Every structure is written in structure tokens, then in C-alpha cells.
Amino acid sequence: MHNLNIDADLNDMQAQAVKRIEGPVLIIAGAGSGKTRVITYRIAYMLEKGIPQSQILALTFTNKAAREMEIRVKELTRKKLLMLTASTFHSFGVQILRNEIEVLGYRKNFSIYDESDKNQAVSDALRECKMAGENVNTREVAQLFSNIKTGMSRWGEDVNAAYKEVYDEYQKILKVYNACDFDDLLMLPIRIFEDYPEILSKYKHRYKYIMIDEFQDTSSTQYNMMKLLADKNICVVGDDDQSIYSWRGANYENITNFEKDFPDLLEIKLEQNYRSTTTILEAANGVISHNSNRKEKKLWAADNGGDKPIEFYMPENEIAEADFIVDQIRFLSLHEKLKYDDFGILLRTNSLTTNIEEALLAANIPYRVSGGTSFFARKEVKDILSYLRVIANPTDDVNLLRIINTPKRGIGKSTISGLMEIAKNNACPFWDAMTRVRYTEQTLFQEAAKVEIDEFMSLIERQRELMIGKRGVSKKVRALSDEIDYHGYLLSEYSKHEKLAHYKYLNVETLIQSIENWESNPDNFDPTLYTYLNRISLLTRDDGTDDEEKGKVNVMTIHASKGLEFPVVFIAGAEEGIIPHERSLEEEAGNIEEERRLFYVAITRARNKLFITSCAQRRRNHAFSQRTPSPFLNEIPPNLIENYNPETSENLTTTEDFFTMMKEKFSESL
């Protein structure tokens, strides 16, 4: 192994955090303080001390972060690390379930439902319980079920109690289809650990050293999983000032809970920042100091070279705002030799991107927008692709189960359950189980169900004859869509929302058009179904969107920017009602502290230069409304800001006079 030089490579507090591997440790890691470096050195140090890699469990929140952690440890240790477990909470949950789920009555090859699959199952449960209707929002019911399952909500005397029957039916549907939803990936391992202590003991014995990254983002469920697994050697790394995910269950109070549950812990603060200039850090410190529920800390710069002021600009409207941002990107890329991917444009919500996208397009500046649903993840597109995958490979159980009753045909839950039993007893794919029913006397199934099975299999076989190894796939996909009357299915599913049904079918048309474009490409020498599906699998693989695109301006929400950094950052729309967001404050007055943490995260994404824009007016509901700057701007020490003057194209240095003027102009709102 390569010998670590911890004292030379790390600062004093980082080195202390790395070397304390026994007992509970709480590392409060400020923005840009090198926490990933600390975690990876810590793992490498454990290995150097002779701890087997199989005993180390490192949990984080994204596949990208887990991969980066593993790559860095490999670089430090020059080992393959085949037995090290560095993963997301949910991936770790899947790992446990693949080994242990049979104790709960599932088969090992369970499917994992994404949001669209889950919404379909909820819709089926509502219909089964005769509660479907135009007044029932399937997504809201699905969210209620998620809250119930994770303990964020409980059945009570209020309206949600009416959905208890639907929830039970939804759970039955999951079991029949041998499927788990996203919440199950954590809840079912916890259930196994609690109900089967011998299984928990096995995992506690294996993972004697546990580390958790981004601890402020853990939910109560994730905390419970950690608490069950952890013995004494548990290290959590987080920053309460960057806790911005309460809306998805994150509980920043888990830091307090950890202090209560592990009272003999050692707390280490990392405050030396390796990312940003002193100006940016003092601005961030000034803002976040107004929060009361936080660990006291103050970021300071490791290197104060090239410090530049923050520039504030108040354009007339969002079009002028977008033009200003694009002009600055052009100027800086030309005069400071910056690449387009050195720029980050941060917004409170995705709905604010339109004008910025249009300005970037008009200037011929390449960009990428983070967030939103991938085209290939939309239910209607996935349905058609599942048909194609089953046509290519009928033994693909996951895709077969997706389409067997889509559109609705007489193959219901009891039939599917019976077929699953045959597949399990004969250790065969689902398609082979259907073949047994089709060609043998099966008293388990009614004649009507056998007819439906035969018709479905005939459809797939007919399409295989037409498509496999043949050209003209796009025309055949359109014919398939017509044969199963997918448009009619959408109209029946969204009977009260005909426009939505047509919109969804347009996505099917877009898919067919994309296949046609692919087929007609002169460089495509094998335009067959197998080749197309292989191409789509590469496009839609889980980690396909993780790699940063080079040479493109980054447009994203502040939430999506967490963990990233850019030499130049624009915080656009820094207006009251946007930052802090009015809807967030309406929901709960206490959300002001989380909104301030969000602004703090935005500021600390900038390495060298920060621009903040706040429009004088903004179009809302087809009319312009007057805007006022975000009250958080008044929390930045005024000596750190320059007011941008577009008429002279020069930045006029302002001190406290600038904020005095701003206070006077917007005294009513500030």
C-alpha cells in the first residue's frame, strides 16, 4: 500500500478527523472544507491500520458521490478494494434485500418501481377500491402513502384515513407483482433488522466501521437504519448550515439526535475553506449568522489571492436579467479565458429558466439544465419500450410484468399471482409459466384468463416475426401502438383530462419519430430492433446523467447545485417571494431558516466571482408585477458589494451608502 502522509496533506483539524477511527465521531464540515478528502483519507487510514475493507461501510446520497469516494480511496491506496462497500443508502438497502427479502415472502428477483410505476399501482389500487375519480390526485395519494410508509404521517381521524383501504390494496399489488417502491428499499431492511435479530447481528458483525456523508440530509428512516447497524465505531460528517431538503424528509436535527444517542462522541469542526475567496465567505458567514438553530462556525479562506467584490445588478425585468448574465459570460470567457462550464447560473425554481435559456440560445452559448424528468423515464415512453424489450426478449420478467395488463386486458392480479407461483415452483421465467398455462390443462385458471394469455402471447409472437432482424422498425412500432390502441388506453386513463392524454401520446409519437431519425441516419449500418434497444439502454442507464458535460454553461436550481462549485456564479431572481420563496413561508413560518440556508448554499458555490441579480419587475400571470430585492441581501455586509452600472459598463465601488440607498428605496419590504 502507498504510505499516507496525513500530516503533510491535511490541516490539523482534518488530520484529527482522519486519525480518530475508534468510537463515535461527529465532523461538522463547513462548505468547501475538504470533507470528501477527509472521508477518503479516513478510509485509507483504516486500511493502513489493518482493518479489513469488508468491515467498512461508507454511505452517501448519490451514486456519483459514492463512485468518487471509491475512486479517490483506490488512488490513495493503489488497491482494487473489491470488498469495500461505498454506496447510497438505497443501494445498500437493495443489497440487503437481494440477500434477505425472502424472509418477508418476496422472491429474490424483485422489481424496483420508479415514480411512474408507483403512480400506476396507486391508480390501480384506487380503481380497485372504487375511489378513482377526477377529484383524486394520484400523485398526492402516492405522496401520502410514502409519508405513511416512512412515518412522516400517520393514519388519523382526518381525510387521509379514507385511503387506508387503498393503501392496503396498493401494498397487495406490490406483493403480487413482486415489486418494491423506493421507500421499501429502506423500510423493508429496517423491518428485517427489527424482526430477525440474527440477520441484524450478521450485518453488525460484518460492518464494524460505519461512515455517513451529508449527515444533515439524512431522514428519520435513514437515521434509524444507521442506529440499528452502528455499534461504537460510527463517524458522521455533515453541515447543519447546508440542510436544505426538509421537503423530502431530511431532518437536520439528526445531528442533535446523534449527540443524544452517542454522548461520548468527539466533535471536530472543519472551518478552513479551500474553495472560495474571503469576500464570498464573509458574505456567506454574514447571511447564515442570522439563523438561530445552528452549530456556531465561521468559514475562513485558505487562500486569499485575487479577491473580487460581489456584484449586484437590478435589471428592469427578467429579459434584461438574462441578457446581463449572457453578456457577462461572453465578456469573462473572452477576457479571463474561462470555459463555459466554469459558469453556474443558480435559480430558486426551474420555472425561472426560460428567459435565461432563450438568451443563451440566441447567443449560441451551449448550456445544460439540471433537473426535470428524462424523456425516456416518462411512463408512456417506458410502456412502448417495454413492449419492444419483451418482443426482443420474452423472458425479460420486469418488462413483461409492466405490459402484461397495459393497456388493460383480462389478466388481473389473481392470474398474475397464479403465474408467479408456477414460475417460482418451476424456477422458470414468467413467459415459460404462461406457456405452461397456454398448452397444458391448468384448473387454476378460468377459461377467459387462458384466452387472454393466449392472445397476449400471440401478439408478442406476431410482433417478433415482424421486427426481429428486420428493417423499418419505426413503422412497425406505430403499427404496434395502433394494434394495442395505446392512444385509446391513455384517453380512458385520463378521461377527465383529455388534453393530458393527447400530450402523453405526443411523447409516443416523438419516440417513434426519434426511431425513424435513427433509422435514416446514413451512418447507421444496422437499423434493427436489437441495435436500437442496446443504444437506448446506454442512453438511459442509471448513471448516464451523472457525468458532467464539459464546455456548457450550468443552469440549475440551488438545490441541484449542492456539492458543486464554479469559478463564476450568478444567483438570479434574488427577490422577495422567490428567495425566500413565498410558498415555502406560507406553508410554515419556520421555513425562513431553511430558505436562508438555501441562499447560503448558493453563495458558497462560487469560487472567485459572484453576481446577484434582482429584477425591478417580473412577469407573473401574463402581467408585470413590481419586485423588491430579497431581504437576505441586506444580511450581506455592505462593504463586500459593488453596484453594477450598465450605462457606463463599469462597476461603481459602493460601500455602506449602497445598502443605505437600497434600504430607503425598499424600506417597506425590507
Side-chain angles (χ1 to χ4, degrees), residues 460-499:
I460 299 300
E461 289 164 347
R462 205 162 51 247
Q463 294 296 330
R464 277 180 66 78
E465 282 290 320
L466 289 169
M467 290 196 201
I468 299 302
K470 310 283 176 59
R471 292 178 176 247
V473 175
S474 59
K475 289 179 182 175
K476 289 162 187 172
V477 174
R478 181 170 276 110
L480 167 66
S481 174
D482 291 342
E483 183 173 353
I484 63 176
D485 191 18
Y486 195 80
H487 192 203
Y489 161 69
L490 290 174
L491 287 170
S492 66
E493 285 291 293
Y494 303 96
S495 56
K496 306 295 183 184
H497 306 281
E498 194 171 313
K499 282 186 179 177

Side-chain angles (χ1 to χ4, degrees), residues 386-612:
S386 287
Y387 268 96
L388 298 183
R389 288 189 168 115
V390 172
I391 289 164
N393 174 20
T395 62
D396 181 339
D397 282 4
V398 171
N399 283 294
L400 179 58
L401 284 167
R402 181 184 181 87
I403 62 168
I404 193 167
N405 210 30
T406 304
K408 294 285 183 290
R409 47 178 70 92
I411 305 178
K413 289 198 300 296
S414 59
T415 302
I416 292 168
S417 190
L419 288 165
M420 281 198 157
E421 195 64 27
I422 293 170
K424 182 179 179 182
N425 292 339
N426 292 279
C428 68
F430 200 84
W431 180 266
D432 292 354
M434 292 168 70
T435 304
R436 288 170 187 263
V437 172
R438 190 185 193 188
Y439 293 118
T440 60
E441 291 296 323
Q442 288 282 351
T443 54
L444 290 172
F445 298 89
Q446 294 182 354
E447 194 59 35
K450 293 180 72 173
V451 168
E452 291 287 353
I453 290 170
D454 180 65
E455 287 184 1
F456 174 72
M457 295 183 78
S458 296
L459 166 71
I460 299 300
E461 289 164 347
R462 205 162 51 247
Q463 294 296 330
R464 277 180 66 78
E465 282 290 320
L466 289 169
M467 290 196 201
I468 299 302
K470 310 283 176 59
R471 292 178 176 247
V473 175
S474 59
K475 289 179 182 175
K476 289 162 187 172
V477 174
R478 181 170 276 110
L480 167 66
S481 174
D482 291 342
E483 183 173 353
I484 63 176
D485 191 18
Y486 195 80
H487 192 203
Y489 161 69
L490 290 174
L491 287 170
S492 66
E493 285 291 293
Y494 303 96
S495 56
K496 306 295 183 184
H497 306 281
E498 194 171 313
K499 282 186 179 177
L500 180 58
H502 287 308
Y503 170 77
K504 287 181 172 292
Y505 193 70
L506 278 176
N507 287 330
V508 175
E509 288 289 340
T510 302
L511 173 67
I512 294 169
Q513 184 63 55
S514 74
I515 298 172
E516 191 175 320
N517 294 341
W518 170 77
E519 286 176 317
S520 59
N521 186 332
D523 294 330
N524 183 0
F525 299 112
D526 185 26
T528 57
L529 181 62
Y530 284 128
T531 310
Y532 176 73
L533 290 175
N534 286 339
R535 174 176 173 270
I536 291 301
S537 294
L538 290 172
L539 283 175
T540 57
R541 71 191 191 278
D542 286 344
D543 295 320
T545 57
D546 277 352
D547 297 327
E548 288 185 36
E549 295 183 47
K550 296 299 177 187
K552 294 186 179 182
V553 171
N554 300 276
V555 183
M556 60 182 60
T557 62
I558 301 171
H559 282 101
S561 74
K562 188 167 174 295
L564 303 177
E565 58 183 76
F566 307 100
V568 181
V569 164
F570 298 87
I571 302 176
E575 301 151 27
E576 187 162 24
I578 296 178
I579 306 176
H581 201 282
E582 57 193 359
R583 190 171 65 244
S584 177
L585 300 187
E586 283 168 9
E587 289 170 0
E588 191 177 335
N591 285 347
I592 186 69
E593 295 219 343
E594 177 149 338
E595 289 290 309
R596 186 178 281 112
R597 291 195 292 270
L598 198 57
F599 191 56
Y600 170 84
V601 165
I603 292 171
T604 54
R605 297 312 93 196
R607 278 169 32 195
N608 305 321
K609 183 69 180 173
L610 176 63
F611 294 89
I612 302 176

